[in-house]
Amino acid sequence: MTVRASSPDPAPARLLTLSAPTVEALERATDELADRLDAAGEAGFARLPAVPAPRAEPGAVRRAVLADSAANAARWLRKRDVRRVFGGAGDGSSRVFLFSGVGDQYPGLGTGLYRCLPAFRDELDRCFGLLADEHGLDLRPVLFPPPTAGDAGEAQAAGAAGAAAEGSADPFDRHTAPQEIHRTVVAQPLLFALQYSLARALTALGAPPAALAGYSVGEYTAACVAGVFPVEDALRLVTGRARLVDELPPGAMLAVAAGPEALDGPLAGLLPGPLSLAALNGPQQTVLSGPVEAVEEALGRLTGAGLPCQRLATAHAYHSAMTEPLTGPLEELLGTVPLARPAIPLLSNVTGTWLRDEEATSPAFWARQLSRTLRFSDELATVWRLPDPLLVELGPGQALTRLALGHPDRPANALASVVQTLPGRLERRPERELLLAAAGRLWAAGAAVDWSALTEEPPAGTEEPPVHPAQPSAPTEAPAASTAAPAARTEEHG
């Protein structure tokens, strides 16, 4: 049995790891460690090794806990708190990377990873360089804006607001001028660069994906990671697609807390008709899309019928008949890109199941993705049929893993089967701490984590982006329906 400890220096939290040949031995070691933490106290906790070196024999069972104090670590270990204590066994054969759509990104996102994860920093610099040189998009100051004289006051106010409003803030709070980071032509290539870089970094860390799924434009990132198109061509596709979408006439989207079968009566003459079924996020989570006037009429009818619904903060009618005119230009653009069979299994938004080779290599298939119903609920059902899946969300917050945990096909122990990699807009948790927690959960589930990569400091002269407060300005893309009321999060469908 081995016991090791790590610290995301300079943050105070420590990741404690254990492994043992049997479940019974691991249970004993867990209780013993809790006793030792009580005896050591906070002074002893602070002296735990800064660099982890957990070693586990083949077939060993593993456990890890991330805590900021000896008292918390001991308490969580004794309770076997599944939210704090990570456990599992396996070889990562069902590790699934989930790539969210845009809508929840904010200035400063990725700052902590940029500082402490060299592989992420290198890939993001590469993507930003390609976007600037080949597409005239300088996204670095958008994601990492320079500090201003008012930043200190803004950060203090944002921190207080975030602490007070956690779980109750309205992510659709509308401001008069949306941030640049939410413009379609900026948001989509920016999030692609961020997610692709994180996927590459996690792979280099020792936790590569066994399967992939992306939500709307996130499917392009998933396809690139799967090897369907090279990153240079993927950036060209995502940038060109965003520019085409930006030229569309205004549209709207509506999230409804009901299944599509419940909409036939209230929306007779509208669906099918001017409205399209944009997304199926769960059995009782439907998103509609179409002209502004039709969406407003649907909102009135559904409210009158007692069906909870929410107009989404979007300027376009994604996944609707209004995007059909882009199919031709998109197919022409895709025809200039070499398309390959996926090297990693990839789920399709259009079919809701595994992407076939002939679909992956078809420009026409990819061109239709923007105007077809997004069948994410079917994708989640497929994911939950995998043996002991571990869902790793690559994007801010937990938008997709919340949908997964709310899916009726999830197993009873699913709470321990999701990994968050980046904080949401209202979270104050340091990115390095989140990364260490993710690494602990991945290691406990069988990944061969390269711990030294988590503690490497940036080389001298490395640009260190400023940490900016998350500003909850109105996204210009569309969110998906929530699990309870359809306005709990921001998730784009483009």
PDB file of all heavy atoms in Angstrom, residues 462-486:
ATOM      1  N   THR A 462       8.069  34.144 -19.617  1.00  0.00           N
ATOM      2  CA  THR A 462       6.786  33.704 -20.148  1.00  0.00           C
ATOM      3  C   THR A 462       5.700  34.717 -19.820  1.00  0.00           C
ATOM      4  O   THR A 462       5.608  35.193 -18.696  1.00  0.00           O
ATOM      5  CB  THR A 462       6.391  32.348 -19.542  1.00  0.00           C
ATOM      6  OG1 THR A 462       7.365  31.379 -19.922  1.00  0.00           O
ATOM      7  CG2 THR A 462       5.029  31.902 -20.054  1.00  0.00           C
ATOM      8  N   GLU A 463       4.901  35.046 -20.822  1.00  0.00           N
ATOM      9  CA  GLU A 463       3.804  35.982 -20.578  1.00  0.00           C
ATOM     10  C   GLU A 463       2.832  35.380 -19.574  1.00  0.00           C
ATOM     11  O   GLU A 463       2.432  34.231 -19.694  1.00  0.00           O
ATOM     12  CB  GLU A 463       3.078  36.278 -21.887  1.00  0.00           C
ATOM     13  CG  GLU A 463       1.920  37.235 -21.696  1.00  0.00           C
ATOM     14  CD  GLU A 463       1.221  37.564 -22.993  1.00  0.00           C
ATOM     15  OE1 GLU A 463       1.719  37.153 -24.046  1.00  0.00           O
ATOM     16  OE2 GLU A 463       0.172  38.229 -22.955  1.00  0.00           O
ATOM     17  N   GLU A 464       2.457  36.175 -18.593  1.00  0.00           N
ATOM     18  CA  GLU A 464       1.546  35.702 -17.559  1.00  0.00           C
ATOM     19  C   GLU A 464       0.269  36.521 -17.643  1.00  0.00           C
ATOM     20  O   GLU A 464       0.234  37.663 -17.208  1.00  0.00           O
ATOM     21  CB  GLU A 464       2.190  35.848 -16.184  1.00  0.00           C
ATOM     22  CG  GLU A 464       1.428  35.133 -15.097  1.00  0.00           C
ATOM     23  CD  GLU A 464       2.261  34.992 -13.840  1.00  0.00           C
ATOM     24  OE1 GLU A 464       3.353  34.422 -13.911  1.00  0.00           O
ATOM     25  OE2 GLU A 464       1.796  35.467 -12.785  1.00  0.00           O
ATOM     26  N   PRO A 465      -0.785  35.978 -18.252  1.00  0.00           N
ATOM     27  CA  PRO A 465      -2.000  36.756 -18.452  1.00  0.00           C
ATOM     28  C   PRO A 465      -2.597  37.205 -17.132  1.00  0.00           C
ATOM     29  O   PRO A 465      -2.564  36.466 -16.149  1.00  0.00           O
ATOM     30  CB  PRO A 465      -2.947  35.792 -19.164  1.00  0.00           C
ATOM     31  CG  PRO A 465      -2.120  34.622 -19.539  1.00  0.00           C
ATOM     32  CD  PRO A 465      -0.905  34.614 -18.691  1.00  0.00           C
ATOM     33  N   PRO A 466      -3.161  38.400 -17.079  1.00  0.00           N
ATOM     34  CA  PRO A 466      -3.770  38.877 -15.836  1.00  0.00           C
ATOM     35  C   PRO A 466      -5.056  38.132 -15.539  1.00  0.00           C
ATOM     36  O   PRO A 466      -5.783  37.746 -16.441  1.00  0.00           O
ATOM     37  CB  PRO A 466      -4.055  40.355 -16.119  1.00  0.00           C
ATOM     38  CG  PRO A 466      -4.215  40.414 -17.604  1.00  0.00           C
ATOM     39  CD  PRO A 466      -3.276  39.375 -18.155  1.00  0.00           C
ATOM     40  N   VAL A 467      -5.331  37.926 -14.265  1.00  0.00           N
ATOM     41  CA  VAL A 467      -6.597  37.326 -13.850  1.00  0.00           C
ATOM     42  C   VAL A 467      -7.642  38.415 -13.815  1.00  0.00           C
ATOM     43  O   VAL A 467      -7.495  39.403 -13.099  1.00  0.00           O
ATOM     44  CB  VAL A 467      -6.474  36.663 -12.475  1.00  0.00           C
ATOM     45  CG1 VAL A 467      -7.815  36.130 -12.032  1.00  0.00           C
ATOM     46  CG2 VAL A 467      -5.446  35.547 -12.517  1.00  0.00           C
ATOM     47  N   HIS A 468      -8.701  38.254 -14.606  1.00  0.00           N
ATOM     48  CA  HIS A 468      -9.766  39.244 -14.656  1.00  0.00           C
ATOM     49  C   HIS A 468     -11.015  38.690 -14.012  1.00  0.00           C
ATOM     50  O   HIS A 468     -11.280  37.496 -14.126  1.00  0.00           O
ATOM     51  CB  HIS A 468     -10.077  39.622 -16.115  1.00  0.00           C
ATOM     52  CG  HIS A 468      -9.606  41.002 -16.465  1.00  0.00           C
ATOM     53  ND1 HIS A 468     -10.398  41.933 -17.048  1.00  0.00           N
ATOM     54  CD2 HIS A 468      -8.401  41.597 -16.286  1.00  0.00           C
ATOM     55  CE1 HIS A 468      -9.715  43.047 -17.236  1.00  0.00           C
ATOM     56  NE2 HIS A 468      -8.499  42.863 -16.784  1.00  0.00           N
ATOM     57  N   PRO A 469     -11.797  39.514 -13.353  1.00  0.00           N
ATOM     58  CA  PRO A 469     -13.055  39.023 -12.789  1.00  0.00           C
ATOM     59  C   PRO A 469     -14.006  38.611 -13.878  1.00  0.00           C
ATOM     60  O   PRO A 469     -14.030  39.197 -14.955  1.00  0.00           O
ATOM     61  CB  PRO A 469     -13.600  40.233 -12.020  1.00  0.00           C
ATOM     62  CG  PRO A 469     -12.990  41.411 -12.707  1.00  0.00           C
ATOM     63  CD  PRO A 469     -11.618  40.962 -13.150  1.00  0.00           C
ATOM     64  N   ALA A 470     -14.784  37.569 -13.607  1.00  0.00           N
ATOM     65  CA  ALA A 470     -15.806  37.135 -14.561  1.00  0.00           C
ATOM     66  C   ALA A 470     -16.946  38.133 -14.545  1.00  0.00           C
ATOM     67  O   ALA A 470     -17.540  38.389 -13.517  1.00  0.00           O
ATOM     68  CB  ALA A 470     -16.325  35.756 -14.193  1.00  0.00           C
ATOM     69  N   GLN A 471     -17.245  38.697 -15.699  1.00  0.00           N
ATOM     70  CA  GLN A 471     -18.328  39.661 -15.804  1.00  0.00           C
ATOM     71  C   GLN A 471     -19.540  39.001 -16.425  1.00  0.00           C
ATOM     72  O   GLN A 471     -19.475  38.558 -17.572  1.00  0.00           O
ATOM     73  CB  GLN A 471     -17.888  40.853 -16.667  1.00  0.00           C
ATOM     74  CG  GLN A 471     -16.696  41.612 -16.084  1.00  0.00           C
ATOM     75  CD  GLN A 471     -17.036  42.300 -14.788  1.00  0.00           C
ATOM     76  OE1 GLN A 471     -18.172  42.712 -14.583  1.00  0.00           O
ATOM     77  NE2 GLN A 471     -16.075  42.426 -13.897  1.00  0.00           N
ATOM     78  N   PRO A 472     -20.653  38.862 -15.720  1.00  0.00           N
ATOM     79  CA  PRO A 472     -21.812  38.125 -16.245  1.00  0.00           C
ATOM     80  C   PRO A 472     -22.596  38.935 -17.257  1.00  0.00           C
ATOM     81  O   PRO A 472     -23.754  39.235 -17.076  1.00  0.00           O
ATOM     82  CB  PRO A 472     -22.631  37.854 -14.973  1.00  0.00           C
ATOM     83  CG  PRO A 472     -22.297  38.989 -14.061  1.00  0.00           C
ATOM     84  CD  PRO A 472     -20.875  39.346 -14.348  1.00  0.00           C
ATOM     85  N   SER A 473     -21.917  39.319 -18.364  1.00  0.00           N
ATOM     86  CA  SER A 473     -22.628  40.050 -19.402  1.00  0.00           C
ATOM     87  C   SER A 473     -23.382  39.070 -20.277  1.00  0.00           C
ATOM     88  O   SER A 473     -23.127  37.882 -20.272  1.00  0.00           O
ATOM     89  CB  SER A 473     -21.644  40.852 -20.249  1.00  0.00           C
ATOM     90  OG  SER A 473     -20.747  39.993 -20.887  1.00  0.00           O
ATOM     91  N   ALA A 474     -24.298  39.584 -21.050  1.00  0.00           N
ATOM     92  CA  ALA A 474     -25.206  38.724 -21.805  1.00  0.00           C
ATOM     93  C   ALA A 474     -24.496  38.041 -22.953  1.00  0.00           C
ATOM     94  O   ALA A 474     -23.888  38.690 -23.785  1.00  0.00           O
ATOM     95  CB  ALA A 474     -26.359  39.567 -22.355  1.00  0.00           C
ATOM     96  N   PRO A 475     -24.511  36.726 -23.036  1.00  0.00           N
ATOM     97  CA  PRO A 475     -23.969  36.040 -24.189  1.00  0.00           C
ATOM     98  C   PRO A 475     -24.782  36.376 -25.426  1.00  0.00           C
ATOM     99  O   PRO A 475     -25.979  36.636 -25.346  1.00  0.00           O
ATOM    100  CB  PRO A 475     -24.111  34.557 -23.835  1.00  0.00           C
ATOM    101  CG  PRO A 475     -24.407  34.513 -22.374  1.00  0.00           C
ATOM    102  CD  PRO A 475     -25.057  35.820 -22.047  1.00  0.00           C
ATOM    103  N   THR A 476     -24.117  36.349 -26.581  1.00  0.00           N
ATOM    104  CA  THR A 476     -24.843  36.598 -27.821  1.00  0.00           C
ATOM    105  C   THR A 476     -25.174  35.302 -28.531  1.00  0.00           C
ATOM    106  O   THR A 476     -25.657  35.325 -29.638  1.00  0.00           O
ATOM    107  CB  THR A 476     -24.011  37.499 -28.751  1.00  0.00           C
ATOM    108  OG1 THR A 476     -22.728  36.884 -28.962  1.00  0.00           O
ATOM    109  CG2 THR A 476     -23.792  38.857 -28.111  1.00  0.00           C
ATOM    110  N   GLU A 477     -24.883  34.173 -27.905  1.00  0.00           N
ATOM    111  CA  GLU A 477     -25.251  32.883 -28.477  1.00  0.00           C
ATOM    112  C   GLU A 477     -26.274  32.228 -27.562  1.00  0.00           C
ATOM    113  O   GLU A 477     -26.549  32.670 -26.473  1.00  0.00           O
ATOM    114  CB  GLU A 477     -24.014  31.993 -28.625  1.00  0.00           C
ATOM    115  CG  GLU A 477     -22.826  32.693 -29.282  1.00  0.00           C
ATOM    116  CD  GLU A 477     -23.112  33.156 -30.687  1.00  0.00           C
ATOM    117  OE1 GLU A 477     -24.076  32.675 -31.290  1.00  0.00           O
ATOM    118  OE2 GLU A 477     -22.365  33.991 -31.185  1.00  0.00           O
ATOM    119  N   ALA A 478     -26.799  31.089 -27.987  1.00  0.00           N
ATOM    120  CA  ALA A 478     -27.958  30.533 -27.305  1.00  0.00           C
ATOM    121  C   ALA A 478     -27.606  29.477 -26.284  1.00  0.00           C
ATOM    122  O   ALA A 478     -26.791  28.612 -26.543  1.00  0.00           O
ATOM    123  CB  ALA A 478     -28.880  29.900 -28.345  1.00  0.00           C
ATOM    124  N   PRO A 479     -28.218  29.504 -25.106  1.00  0.00           N
ATOM    125  CA  PRO A 479     -28.021  28.457 -24.126  1.00  0.00           C
ATOM    126  C   PRO A 479     -28.996  27.310 -24.295  1.00  0.00           C
ATOM    127  O   PRO A 479     -30.040  27.458 -24.920  1.00  0.00           O
ATOM    128  CB  PRO A 479     -28.254  29.173 -22.794  1.00  0.00           C
ATOM    129  CG  PRO A 479     -29.195  30.262 -23.127  1.00  0.00           C
ATOM    130  CD  PRO A 479     -28.968  30.618 -24.588  1.00  0.00           C
ATOM    131  N   ALA A 480     -28.640  26.197 -23.691  1.00  0.00           N
ATOM    132  CA  ALA A 480     -29.525  25.029 -23.725  1.00  0.00           C
ATOM    133  C   ALA A 480     -30.476  25.047 -22.546  1.00  0.00           C
ATOM    134  O   ALA A 480     -30.289  25.778 -21.591  1.00  0.00           O
ATOM    135  CB  ALA A 480     -28.688  23.752 -23.685  1.00  0.00           C
ATOM    136  N   ALA A 481     -31.488  24.198 -22.600  1.00  0.00           N
ATOM    137  CA  ALA A 481     -32.436  24.110 -21.489  1.00  0.00           C
ATOM    138  C   ALA A 481     -31.766  23.524 -20.263  1.00  0.00           C
ATOM    139  O   ALA A 481     -30.894  22.696 -20.348  1.00  0.00           O
ATOM    140  CB  ALA A 481     -33.614  23.230 -21.893  1.00  0.00           C
ATOM    141  N   SER A 482     -32.209  23.930 -19.108  1.00  0.00           N
ATOM    142  CA  SER A 482     -31.672  23.407 -17.860  1.00  0.00           C
ATOM    143  C   SER A 482     -32.476  22.193 -17.423  1.00  0.00           C
ATOM    144  O   SER A 482     -33.477  21.840 -18.025  1.00  0.00           O
ATOM    145  CB  SER A 482     -31.743  24.491 -16.775  1.00  0.00           C
ATOM    146  OG  SER A 482     -33.078  24.685 -16.407  1.00  0.00           O
ATOM    147  N   THR A 483     -32.029  21.587 -16.325  1.00  0.00           N
ATOM    148  CA  THR A 483     -32.705  20.381 -15.884  1.00  0.00           C
ATOM    149  C   THR A 483     -34.007  20.682 -15.150  1.00  0.00           C
ATOM    150  O   THR A 483     -34.861  19.824 -15.022  1.00  0.00           O
ATOM    151  CB  THR A 483     -31.786  19.596 -14.940  1.00  0.00           C
ATOM    152  OG1 THR A 483     -31.374  20.457 -13.881  1.00  0.00           O
ATOM    153  CG2 THR A 483     -30.561  19.100 -15.681  1.00  0.00           C
ATOM    154  N   ALA A 484     -34.179  21.912 -14.655  1.00  0.00           N
ATOM    155  CA  ALA A 484     -35.405  22.228 -13.919  1.00  0.00           C
ATOM    156  C   ALA A 484     -36.156  23.338 -14.633  1.00  0.00           C
ATOM    157  O   ALA A 484     -37.160  23.101 -15.284  1.00  0.00           O
ATOM    158  CB  ALA A 484     -35.053  22.649 -12.493  1.00  0.00           C
ATOM    159  N   ALA A 485     -35.711  24.543 -14.491  1.00  0.00           N
ATOM    160  CA  ALA A 485     -36.273  25.650 -15.254  1.00  0.00           C
ATOM    161  C   ALA A 485     -35.324  25.937 -16.394  1.00  0.00           C
ATOM    162  O   ALA A 485     -34.125  25.849 -16.238  1.00  0.00           O
ATOM    163  CB  ALA A 485     -36.421  26.882 -14.363  1.00  0.00           C
ATOM    164  N   PRO A 486     -35.822  26.263 -17.576  1.00  0.00           N
ATOM    165  CA  PRO A 486     -34.966  26.322 -18.752  1.00  0.00           C
ATOM    166  C   PRO A 486     -34.166  27.599 -18.862  1.00  0.00           C
ATOM    167  O   PRO A 486     -33.998  28.134 -19.935  1.00  0.00           O
ATOM    168  CB  PRO A 486     -35.971  26.206 -19.896  1.00  0.00           C
ATOM    169  CG  PRO A 486     -37.217  26.764 -19.351  1.00  0.00           C
ATOM    170  CD  PRO A 486     -37.222  26.450 -17.890  1.00  0.00           C
TER     171      PRO A 486
END
